[in-house]
Each structure stands twice: as C-alpha cells, then as structure tokens.
Amino acid sequence: MDFSTIVLLVGTLAALGSTVACVYLIEERDLLKAAIASGLVSLFYCILFLVLMAPSILLVYVLVSVVLVTVLLVILVVKTERYEATSAERFHKSLIKIALMFVTIIAGSYLALNGGWFGESLPPRSLRKIAETIVDNLISSATLSSNYLAARSPDAVAAVVWDYRGIDTFFESTILYLATMATTFILLREVLSQKEELERVPIASPIAVTVAKLLYLVLIPALAVALTSHPGGGFPGGALITSVIVIFLIASRFGLSTSRLEKRILTLIALVCCGTLALSLISAFPIVLGFFMRSPAFLLQNQPKAVSPVGFISELLGEPIGGSIFFLEASESLLVSAGLTLVLILLLYSSRPKRHMEELKVESLE
Amino acid sequence: MSEVSLESVLFAILTMCIVVNIAVTIYGVLFRPSLVKKLIALVVLGDSANVLAILIGFTMTDLRPEPPIIDDFVLKTSTQPSVLFVDPIPQALVLTAIVIGLAVYIVIASLIVIAYKFYGTTDVRKISKLRG
C-alpha cells in the first residue's frame, strides 16, 4: 500500500464520518447539538479538501464553515428555540423519502462508477483542455508564441477568480455587499432599541478582556494571508480577521461597550462601502489609464493584451503578485472582514428569548 | 471496466458518501419542522455540493495530482505544469460559493430571528396556522 492509497483511505474514512454526523444532525432534536454536529461535518470536509488537493479552498473553508457558520448557528439557537418539536409521519412523506432514496442510489452509483477510476470519466476529457490552457499560461509563456493569456500569478485559483473570470467574482462580491446591507436593515432597529438593556449585562473581568485582546495578535498573519495569493487571498484573510473579532467578542462576554456600539456599526458600514468602492475603482482603472494613453482598454484588465498595452505591475520586491489580483484581493479582504463582522455583531446584539416571553405575558395581560 | 484497484473502490465509496449526505440534507430541508433545523441542513447541503464539485475536478487527472499552485519545485520538474495539477476551475467556483453561501445564511438567520420575534416559535407548522 503506497502513500497515495493511505491518503485516499483517510479521505474515505472522513467521508464516512461526515455521513454519520450528517444523519445524526438531521435526527437530533436538540438544535444546539445539531449545530455543533454541522461543525463536525465541516471538519471532516476539511480533511477531504486536503486529500483532494485544494489548499486554497481549505483556507477559506476552515474559517468560514468550521468557525463562522458554527458560531452563527449557535447564536441562532441561543436567540430562538433550543428543541425541535416532533414531526408526524404522513403517507406522502414516506413516499417522497423512498423516491429520494432511489434517486440517491442511482445518481450515486452513476457518479461513483464514472469517476474516472473505472474507465470513462464523467466530465469528458476534452474539457480538461481549458484547465491546461489556464495553468500553462499562468506565469511563463514558454509553450506559446505570445503571452497575452498570462495572469502573472502563481496560484491558478486566484488567477481564475480575479482575472479570467473577474466580472463574475465582482458581481459575487456585490451579492455579499447586498446581503450585508439587507441584514443591517433587518436587524439595526432591533439592536439599537435595546441599548439600555444591554448596558445591564455584566461585562467580563478586566483580566479576561486583556487575555482576549491577545487574540488581536492573530491579525498580523491574517493580513499576510490577505495580501498573498499562493495560496491565500481576500476571502480567507477577511474570514480570519472576522473570526478573531467574533471570538474576542464572545470570549470577553461582549467586551464592546454599548455606548460605542452605534459608532462602531456606522464605521463598519462605511468600511463595507469602501471595500466595494475600491473593487469598482480597481476594475475601472485600466479604462482610465487607456483614456490617457490613447489606447483601447477593458474592464478588469490585468496584464497587457494584443490590442492594448495597459496593465498592472506584475512583481513586487521580486515576488510575482499577479498584477490587479493583488489589489483586488486587498479590497475584497476589507469587504469580507467588515461585512461579516458587521452582520455577526448585529446578530450577537439582537434580542434575547427571555425578554420576548416577558413581553408576550405583558401583552396577554393587557 | 479496465481494472478494479483498491483506490478506485475507495474513491467510489467516497463519492457515494457525499451523494448520501446531499440526499439526507435535502430530506432535512424539506421535512424538518424547525426553521433552524432547516437552515442547518441547508448549510450542510451547500457544503456537500461544494465537495462534490471539487471531487469531479479531482477525478479528471491521470497522474497523482498536485494542488494548482506554481512554485520553484514545479517549475524545475516540468516545462508543462498542467499535467501535474488538479483542475483549478471547480476550485475557483467553490471559493466564491463558500463566501456567498455564508452571506445568504446570515440573511436567512436574521430573518429567522425576526420571525421568532413576531410569532414566538420557529416551527413552520405553527407559523402557517398563526397566519391562516
């Protein structure tokens, strides 16, 4: 048994573990346990990403799904109900269950048998040409006569995300911006209406707050992750910064004093807008440059093309940074960190169930 | 079928597990009464779909694959690095899908908090009765 077989064995065990955890979290009536089980599933998926050679995904996923989503679900369970009611078994439900089972068996065996290991691979081999063109043109142009496809970035994933498929990613960042703003509009009044009540919550001891403040040291590697892209980039960097701030808030028992809460929220909204604005400006920068150089240029253009000499610098201190990818990643990390911190703070400080029950009692008495 | 090796069997089990996870979580999203349980199932459903995308990108290589990052080692060993790498396109797709997914989950979570404030429950059956 050679090394790659052992690695695959570890991956298979992780997949089996994830299935067990998945069935457990659907069946469990205690929602807190279910939320933690979803974190466990994510942990197993992290092992899978490592086995499947996706370090760029692993960096984002371990922060977003294992830390932030689990924290989000636990907050949600604490803010609402802890136990799920039992559901009655009906005939049409069991019918759909059986149908789902059949579809699973058919689709699963089709995928498993055509996965490229038993002979035919499921996506046709000709599709692989796209990946080969991208990877071969990343840095060097040795295989082609012209270098107009080069992204000058050592990481293929970052190059696809911000150069070859840049407009798509730009609009995905816009979705993040819109989701942040929507959550702010939904929850802001709710949070600010109970400021006086929050001031009565005991804040943790100064020692605990100081120890929690040591967490801010992690911001230095977070910046390093945000500004390099082999692997790394704006998404994992921003998620790391958010994780640090949210863990600090929970560890210091809401160490943010409520009198400054309003100002902090406004600052975070401003930072989110700055991140989105920076993304737009960097996308439009080549066109402005092209206007002054009197040559055609394109939105989100990274390196010089055949018809246009406009391009970003490709190296900084002798390291390949990938031209516009570096600047776009930096603005994306600002957008991601500020946006996610804002919405998680709003969720943390929104109302508690106890207060809700008291209100209901008062209303029914009246 | 050319030959059945241990690796191919392991890989088939791995794929099957992910498909089962997707089916189980679809069941959770459709039939569980609590809104919070539905969200938890939706989170795992999204993650499983992401893993499946990466899995399909992985199976397309012939040799023992490497992550799609060019370093000095790769540049020295091969003039055409693409034969060594897994497909970077599904990975790029999943990278943005994860963060967008988180944004969507947060909007849903805030809506659940507001729904709980209005109705006093997260059980969809009770909520539909209250409205009717």
Side-chain angles (χ1 to χ4, degrees), chain A residues 139-150:
Chain A
I139 287 185
S140 70
S141 54
T143 51
L144 285 179
S145 53
S146 65
N147 64 347
Y148 294 127
L149 284 171

Side-chain angles (χ1 to χ4, degrees), chain B residues 12-67:
Chain B
I13 296 172
L14 207 161
T15 316
M16 202 67 197
C17 283
I18 303 299
V19 177
V20 168
N21 283 4
I22 289 178
V24 168
T25 46
I26 286 176
Y27 165 74
V29 172
L30 290 181
F31 294 124
R32 279 298 159 160
S34 163
L35 283 172
V36 181
K37 178 58 83 60
K38 279 179 195 288
L39 178 61
I40 294 174
L42 187 68
V43 166
V44 179
L45 175 60
D47 288 353
S48 307
N50 288 340
V51 173
L52 196 63
I54 299 278
L55 206 66
I56 288 171
F58 182 78
T59 54
M60 282 165 74
T61 49
D62 296 322
L63 303 167
R64 222 185 90 197
E66 297 273 329

Side-chain angles (χ1 to χ4, degrees), chain A residues 25-159:
Chain A
L25 81 88
I26 295 296
E27 287 302 318
E28 179 60 52
R29 304 226 172 273
D30 187 346
L31 291 172
L32 201 61
K33 282 184 189 166
I36 289 165
S38 87
L40 195 66
V41 174
S42 303
L43 213 55
F44 281 125
Y45 282 172
C46 283
I47 300 172
L48 273 183
F49 283 133
L50 203 59
V51 171
L52 297 175
M53 298 292 163
S56 315
I57 307 298
L58 180 70
L59 261 178
V60 188
Y61 190 80
V62 77
L63 292 162
V64 168
S65 281
V66 179
V67 182
L68 290 179
V69 171
T70 312
V71 166
L72 172 79
L73 292 174
V74 169
I75 291 173
L76 191 61
V77 172
V78 172
K79 297 280 174 193
T80 58
E81 287 172 323
R82 172 133 186 214
Y83 293 96
E84 187 186 35
T86 50
S87 58
E89 197 70 24
R90 289 204 193 118
F91 180 67
H92 76 273
K93 265 190 193 178
S94 48
L95 210 66
I96 294 174
K97 250 189 211 174
I98 292 168
L100 208 60
M101 217 161 72
F102 265 108
V103 172
T104 311
I105 290 170
I106 294 167
S109 38
Y110 180 75
L111 269 175
L113 291 178
N114 291 291
W117 297 76
F118 283 105
E120 279 301 302
S121 72
L122 180 62
R125 296 257 161 202
S126 51
L127 269 184
R128 173 92 184 140
K129 278 279 169 224
I130 305 172
E132 282 175 9
T133 316
I134 287 173
V135 170
D136 285 336
N137 286 299
L138 278 180
I139 287 185
S140 70
S141 54
T143 51
L144 285 179
S145 53
S146 65
N147 64 347
Y148 294 127
L149 284 171
R152 310 274 176 207
S153 160
D155 186 359
V157 176

Side-chain angles (χ1 to χ4, degrees), chain A residues 153-172:
Chain A
S153 160
D155 186 359
V157 176
V160 173
V161 165
W162 287 114
D163 190 350
Y164 301 120
R165 215 196 58 186
I167 290 182
D168 194 30
T169 313
F170 176 77
F171 282 109
E172 276 166 347

Side-chain angles (χ1 to χ4, degrees), chain A residues 97-270:
Chain A
K97 250 189 211 174
I98 292 168
L100 208 60
M101 217 161 72
F102 265 108
V103 172
T104 311
I105 290 170
I106 294 167
S109 38
Y110 180 75
L111 269 175
L113 291 178
N114 291 291
W117 297 76
F118 283 105
E120 279 301 302
S121 72
L122 180 62
R125 296 257 161 202
S126 51
L127 269 184
R128 173 92 184 140
K129 278 279 169 224
I130 305 172
E132 282 175 9
T133 316
I134 287 173
V135 170
D136 285 336
N137 286 299
L138 278 180
I139 287 185
S140 70
S141 54
T143 51
L144 285 179
S145 53
S146 65
N147 64 347
Y148 294 127
L149 284 171
R152 310 274 176 207
S153 160
D155 186 359
V157 176
V160 173
V161 165
W162 287 114
D163 190 350
Y164 301 120
R165 215 196 58 186
I167 290 182
D168 194 30
T169 313
F170 176 77
F171 282 109
E172 276 166 347
S173 307
T174 321
I175 293 176
L176 184 64
Y177 169 76
L178 287 176
T180 312
M181 288 299 137
T183 315
T184 312
F185 284 130
I186 292 170
L187 288 179
L188 190 60
R189 216 177 62 180
E190 165 98 17
V191 172
L192 294 182
S193 68
Q194 48 159 0
K195 246 172 72 180
E196 294 80 26
E197 202 157 314
L198 277 169
E199 268 158 24
R200 271 181 264 136
V201 177
I203 289 179
S205 72
I207 299 171
V209 175
T210 314
V211 171
K213 269 182 185 162
L214 284 178
L215 272 171
Y216 280 122
L217 284 178
V218 185
L219 287 180
I220 300 165
L223 278 178
V225 169
L227 296 179
T228 53
S229 58
H230 39 97
F235 293 116
L240 187 51
I241 294 171
T242 309
S243 311
V244 169
I245 295 173
V246 168
I247 292 172
F248 165 74
L249 282 179
I250 293 170
S252 63
R253 216 185 289 162
F254 305 87
L256 197 65
S257 74
T258 43
S259 54
R260 283 188 293 171
L261 187 63
E262 210 166 331
K263 206 182 272 180
R264 292 284 167 89
I265 288 174
L266 279 177
T267 316
L268 283 171
I269 292 175

